[in-house]
Amino acid sequence: MDIKLEEVREALRKDDHDYINREISRLMKAAMASIYTETGYDKRIHFIPAENRGRFEELSNSYIIEYVRGYMDRVDNRKILDTLSVQLEGLFKPIQL
């Protein structure tokens, strides 16, 4: 989840205004928290293997953009978010004790 505010703003084609940037920043934080709750990720029992980290970053960045788009543009993109969360969940592996 290394995406920057500027990247999200550009992906959403929003102008660079302070009030827009504040709203995007707030929604990005909510999206990052949502990724873990939607996927059921728990760092005590899951890990992301090194070979999946790049794909995790790509998918999590897409999830953040779509999450913010849903709230800012008032679009129903629940299917896209569900698809991304299932793909993200598939990248986790259980910790072998």
Side-chain angles (χ1 to χ4, degrees):
M1 294 183 282
D2 59 357
I3 193 163
K4 306 286 185 251
L5 183 134
E6 295 79 18
E7 294 171 297
V8 174
R9 189 181 61 236
E10 288 298 317
L12 299 175
R13 295 186 175 114
K14 300 293 182 187
D15 293 328
D16 186 10
H17 295 293
D18 193 42
Y19 70 96
I20 291 174
N21 291 339
R22 280 193 310 269
E23 183 69 8
I24 290 172
S25 178
R26 183 183 68 77
L27 289 169
M28 284 177 66
K29 290 174 187 169
M32 289 177 193
S34 177
I35 286 173
Y36 293 119
T37 57
E38 285 286 320
T39 61
Y41 180 80
D42 183 343
K43 67 181 178 182
R44 295 171 296 177
I45 58 174
H46 297 114
F47 74 102
I48 302 167
E51 65 270 12
N52 293 348
R53 288 192 186 128
R55 185 76 177 135
F56 177 83
E57 286 299 323
E58 181 183 320
L59 289 172
S60 64
N61 291 346
S62 294
Y63 185 96
I64 291 166
I65 290 169
E66 290 304 321
Y67 185 96
V68 174
R69 181 189 321 277
Y71 282 94
M72 290 199 75
D73 295 341
R74 309 254 190 259
V75 296
D76 181 15
N77 59 357
R78 190 70 240 166
K79 288 182 182 180
I80 294 170
L81 291 173
D82 288 345
T83 301
L84 288 168
S85 66
V86 168
Q87 290 176 336
L88 284 164
E89 189 176 348
L91 300 174
F92 303 154
K93 301 290 183 210
I95 293 176
Q96 302 295 324
L97 298 176

